[in-house]
Structures are given as structure tokens and as C-alpha cells.
Amino acid sequence: MGSTNLAEHKVDAVVIGAGPGGYHAAIRLGQLGKSVICVDRDEVGGVCLNWGCIPTKALLHVGEVVRHIDHAAAIGLKVPKADVDREGVAKFKSDVVASNVGGVKTLFKANGVQFLYGEASFKSPTEIVVKNKDGGTDTVVAQNVVIATGSAPIDVKAWPRDGESIINSDDAVQMKRIPKTMLVIGGGVIGLEFATVYTRLGAQVLVIEALPQILTGTDAEISKTLGRILKKQGVEIMLDTKVGAIAKSGDVVKATFNGAGTNGKDETRAFDMVLVAVGRRPITDNLNLAAAGLSTDDKGFVAVDQQLRTKVGSVFAIGDVTGQPMLAHRAMKQGVIAAEAISGDKSAAFDPIAIPNCVYTDPEVATIGLSEEEAKAKGYEVRIGKFPLAASGRARTMNESDGVIKLVGDAKTDLLLGMHIVAPQAESLIGEGVIALEMGATLEDIGLSIHPHPTLTEGIMDAAEAAHGKAIHIVNPKPKAPVAK
Ligand code: NAI
């Protein structure tokens, strides 16, 4: 039976993908009075709402509550150990997802965005075919197209995913079971966030990272601080170590690995579950980009200019398909800029000074701008200001004093170059770094700004003061001897 053509739609713009980038673009287009259709083969909200940011953060919140219960005695509370009801936890996570998805659907309606459910591909730069689940097709003719198809976990052929004992992040978030022992391959953000969740819920977790540090690219001191804290929490971490063969054997998966973590010898261990978290890849497979006159680079990304325009002027691309960093907040802002550019705003441009990066371990890591190593590599003479959480009155009241706030500045101009935090609520604290970097603040500006007391944000002020050797709450490092003239 041939497929049926259900309908032909004519709109100003069609957005392919209803993830954070796509839904931002669609809603902003609606706000600007454009007729817009947003297409997705899956639920509204994309990876962020359905599989990534939101559900993992719900699980991490549960993990954090477990930790508070575990440590309740330290603050004078007698609380029995948390008894994890896996189904209850999974339901909490699903309810959070459902209410977020519902919110976006409401915003679509309120802004006149029509949602089409199906797989979209290009027929020409201005024509999109949408294959519905029942085999029928819709055609959308649009003056502008926004590609917002996102990314998916990289699956490694040698470690075939079965969704049960060899899993990726999409499976891990489903929480079908809590293993007794778990191997996490990849000490990146996904690996460490799930290592945190599953450790809290009772699993014994080993993280194996091929490179010499976790969170490669992050300031080395910050990465080491997090590694130390995670180890204290019971997460085993092997750096500079590679996983080779993985084989299912009955109820367990046997993995062989070798590297610095095994003193250069092959080691084989059995695990109940193996999570492969070695990166994500852009999704453009089914788009038929060629029909739009487009192609991808050798990594699979679609090239765009500052307005998010591809080389075909009427076709835009935003989010993970356009390159690193693959972060929801980058995609969101790009979606808004693309919508404004489509609506004729010539000044609309995506040109951030820096993009913040948050890792929702417990405590969290949040960074923005240059790490100390990056600043030095760029030729800056750096001025560092550090404030350990152990010296923060507010952190002590929370019984959470493990962590550090580190500022990287340019010794010549005093300008802030980077802010790096390991602390509870680091993801919120970094907002100060976002504004400071965008506004061109100096370390002195930050140190002179009166921060409320008692708060964790004071630590940022203290770190800035420490950079000038005048922090009050710590013994300031001795200034370096003046350079002989
Ligand atoms: P990633 O690139 O951050 O980390 C993957 C790690 O796996 C790397 O450190 C790599 O060296 C390691 N690796 C690769 N092959 C390996 C092997 N054979 N053995 C051992 N280690 C190996 O990728 P990840 O964690 O999968 O995250 C993907 C993307 O998702 C990131 O770009 C991130 O931006 C985004 N994301 C962001 C989150 C957030 O903002 N909180 C949360 C989750 C994902």
C-alpha cells in the first residue's frame, strides 16, 4: 500500500526538532508573528526534557536527598537510612518530565506554534516531508527552515547495547533497575552524573576514563577536586585507562581494561551493568540534507554563521547539530537568535563571550571562561584567586564545606578570564561569572561588590579579594617576589 499524502501546509517557518533549541526557535517565531510548524518524531522537549537535563536532574536531586539523610546524624538528627523505592523514584522523575513537556505544549498553543508528529526530511530547501507513524506524509512548504535535530549517544560497536546490562544514557535514565556493581566507561559529564546517581542509590561504581583527567578540558585543579570528592563518596575512578573487550556472561558483563589504573596490566572484572558514556554525535542521518543543498563536515556537524544561517540562506541550524559545546542553554539562545534573524533583525547574532558549563555531580561543578591552563596557553600572565569552601560560614551552616571557588584573571589588566566552582549550587553561583565575563568585570570589581552575608556567593567575592592578597576569611597566599627589573 502506498503512503497517503495527508496535508500540505504553507508557513513562514518550519522548525525540525522540538528540543530546547527547536522549541525556543518556534516559540520566538510565534511571538514575532510568524506562522510556524515545529516537527518532531518524538515527544515535545527533545533530549533535554525527556532523556537528559530534566530527568537526570530529578534523579540527582533524589540522590542528594539520600546524602542528606545519610549525613543527618552530623547535624543532630536521628533519621533511619533511606529505603530506595526504585519505582517511586522513577515515577517522580517521569512526573517532572511530564509537567515540563506539558508546559512547552501550553506555550506552543499560546504562541500559535503548530506541532507535527513525524520524521522530517528535506525535499528541497523550502519543502519538508513529514512521515507520520502510520505511513502517511505531510508536506510543509516554508520560507525558512530551522534544523534543530540535536544529538544522540555514541554507541560503540564492540560493546553492543542491549538496554539492560550494556546501556547508554537513554537507558540509564529509565532506572529499570539499580545494579550492585556498575562500570561507567567515560569520565565526562554524563558518566560522572550517572556515577553520582547510581552510587547514591546503592550501586558500587567504577568510572574508567581513557584520558589523564575526568572532565577533560576543565581546569585541572577543579577536575582533581571533584575526583577527590567523588572518591570520598565511594566512586572508584581509573584515569588513563582504556576498556577493551566486554562480554556478557550469564547475569554479568565481564570487562577487561588496562592502563594507569591497573598498573599497565590487563584486569578483568564482572559488573551487573555497564554504562557507555563516551560522547554524543549530531543527528542528521534521515534529513536528506543534500536535497537542501547542504552537507555536514567530517564530524557530522552543519556549519552556520553568527546568525545561525547555513550556506543556504533560508535554512538555519541550531544546537548540537552545529557543534560543541553540546549544551541545552547554547541551543536555546541560538534558537532565539535564529528566530529573530528570520524575522528580519539584522543585528541578531550569536556571539557569547563564553558559555557556562555545569556538571550536576554532588557537589556540582560549574565553569565559565578560560581555565588556568587555557589562559596560560593563550599567553596570559594569570592572576589566580581561590577560596576554599571550608572557610565559608554559609557552607559550614549547610555542613557542605568541601569545594573551592577559583577565579582566573589577567594579571596585566585585572580582567576576569574564567570562573570555576566546585560547590553545592555551583550551577546557580556561576550566573555571577556569566554576567561578570559578559560585562567585562575585573577581579577588583568583583571584590568590591558587596555580596550578601551569609551566602555561598560571598566566596566569589572572597576569591576575587584573594587574587589581590586581601581576602579576610583566609590566610592570603604570600605575594610572589617582585620581578627584578
Ligand atoms: P564527553 O565527551 O563529555 O565525555 C566522554 C568521555 O569518555 C571523555 O572524557 C573521553 O575521553 C572518554 N572516553 C572515550 N572513549 C573512551 C574509552 N574507550 N574508554 C574510556 N573512556 C573513554 O561525553 P558525554 O559525557 O557522553 O557527554 C556528551 C555531551 O553531552 C557533552 O558534550 C555534554 O556537553 C553534554 N551533556 C551536558 C550535560 C550538562 O550540561 N550537565 C549533561 C549531560 C550531557
Side-chain angles (χ1 to χ4, degrees):
M1 211 172 74
S3 61
T4 43
N5 200 334
L6 297 178
E8 181 169 307
H9 312 262
K10 274 206 168 101
V11 283
D12 295 326
V14 59
V15 180
I16 306 175
Y23 83 69
H24 271 66
I27 289 172
R28 188 70 188 121
L29 282 160
Q31 286 175 348
L32 291 164
K34 297 285 176 191
S35 55
V36 53
I37 286 181
C38 185
V39 189
D40 203 303
R41 60 185 174 195
D42 214 325
E43 185 55 282
V44 168
V47 171
C48 169
L49 263 58
N50 295 289
W51 306 94
C53 317
I54 296 300
T56 54
K57 266 78 258 179
L59 295 178
L60 282 154
H61 176 67
V62 172
E64 197 182 328
V65 173
V66 170
R67 177 172 63 83
H68 285 304
I69 293 170
D70 284 350
H71 294 176
I75 57 169
L77 296 176
K78 286 183 189 161
V79 182
K81 200 171 156 30
D83 190 3
V84 177
D85 161 19
R86 187 195 54 79
E87 282 175 18
V89 172
K91 181 179 180 307
F92 164 65
K93 180 240 0 167
S94 300
D95 289 350
V96 172
V97 168
S99 72
N100 276 276
V101 169
V104 174
K105 284 183 176 162
T106 306
L107 290 171
F108 271 7
K109 247 191 206 150
N111 289 287
V113 176
Q114 193 188 335
F115 180 65
L116 266 189
Y117 184 73
E119 175 102 37
S121 61
F122 282 96
K123 195 171 163 196
S124 78
T126 52
E127 281 170 293
I128 300 295
V129 178
V130 182
K131 246 194 228 158
N132 305 294
K133 274 234 164 94
D134 60 9
T137 56
D138 279 29
T139 305
V140 185
V141 179
Q143 282 170 24
N144 290 105
V145 181
V146 181
I147 303 168
T149 42
S151 64
I154 292 175
D155 287 321
V156 178
K157 265 201 193 132
W159 310 325
R161 167 190 178 205
D162 63 9
E164 295 291 334
S165 48
I166 302 178
I167 64 170
N168 67 14
S169 53
D170 289 350
D171 307 310
V173 81
Q174 294 304 313
M175 290 264 307
K176 285 196 200 147
R177 66 190 170 95
I178 299 165
K180 281 206 178 77
T181 53
M182 184 178 199
L183 169 64
V184 173
I185 308 179
V189 50
I190 293 185
L192 296 181
E193 289 188 355
F194 278 113
T196 300
V197 171
Y198 279 88
T199 299
R200 290 272 181 251
L201 298 181
Q204 180 61 48
V205 178
L206 165 64
V207 176
I208 295 193
E209 166 57 51
L211 296 175
Q213 74 167 83
I214 52 169
L215 299 179
T216 298
T218 304
D219 186 280
E221 211 171 348
I222 294 296
S223 162
K224 272 192 196 132
T225 304
L226 179 69
R228 177 180 55 71
I229 294 174
L230 288 175
K231 280 182 191 163
K232 228 162 78 179
Q233 293 173 357
V235 180
E236 191 184 353
I237 299 175
M238 287 185 187
L239 300 175
D240 234 337
T241 302
K242 286 206 175 86
V243 178
I246 284 185
K248 273 174 96 172
S249 159
D251 285 346
V252 296
V253 185
K254 285 191 176 158
T256 304
F257 35 94
N258 189 331
T262 62
N263 294 320
K265 293 189 188 110
D266 269 359
E267 186 174 326
T268 302
R269 277 199 220 172
F271 300 89
D272 295 326
M273 198 181 264
V274 176
L275 167 65
V276 180
V278 295
R280 298 181 64 87
R281 61 169 181 87
I283 303 176
T284 51
D285 324 358
N286 301 328
L287 274 178
N288 193 21
L289 285 177
L294 290 171
S295 56
T296 60
D297 67 14
D298 55 357
K299 291 197 172 122
F301 294 117
V302 179
V304 288
D305 65 12
Q306 279 201 336
Q307 287 211 315
L308 292 319
R309 238 179 253 275
T310 64
K311 68 174 189 189
V312 177
S314 63
V315 179
F316 291 68
I318 58 172
D320 291 2
V321 284
T322 64
Q324 300 287 357
M326 293 186 179
L327 295 170
H329 42 279
R330 170 175 170 267
M332 290 170 171
K333 197 55 95 190
Q334 288 183 329
V336 169
I337 301 291
E340 291 176 351
I342 287 171
S343 305
D345 182 348
K346 291 206 169 59
S347 66
F350 182 76
D351 58 352
I353 300 267
I355 299 173
N357 206 332
C358 302
V359 185
Y360 292 77
T361 42
D362 182 15
E364 294 89 355
V365 171
T367 66
I368 187 164
L370 300 181
S371 65
E372 184 175 347
E373 298 78 30
E374 284 169 338
K376 283 179 177 161
K378 278 181 181 281
Y380 286 103
E381 187 190 329
V382 297
R383 177 177 290 153
I384 303 294
K386 265 188 286 188
F387 186 72
L389 244 56
S392 158
R394 182 69 181 108
R396 278 199 213 111
T397 65
M398 296 160 71
N399 196 32
E400 307 259 7
S401 47
D402 210 349
V404 66
I405 296 173
K406 175 174 177 179
L407 306 189
V408 179
D410 176 0
K412 285 204 180 105
T413 61
D414 199 42
L415 280 169
L416 177 72
L417 300 173
M419 187 179 286
H420 311 277
I421 304 175
V422 185
Q425 298 159 26
E427 82 282 11
S428 296
L429 297 174
I430 202 67
E432 179 156 332
V434 176
I435 300 293
L437 271 178
E438 284 289 342
M439 309 297 271
T442 59
L443 294 169
E444 186 184 30
D445 291 329
I446 298 171
L448 284 175
S449 307
I450 300 175
H451 285 61
H453 174 78
T455 60
L456 295 176
T457 62
E458 274 175 300
I460 298 173
M461 177 180 69
D462 278 295
E465 288 171 340
H468 289 285
K470 55 183 190 181
I472 298 297
H473 291 104
I474 53 168
V475 179
N476 291 290
K478 286 211 174 76
K480 281 187 202 154
V483 183
K485 290 217 168 118

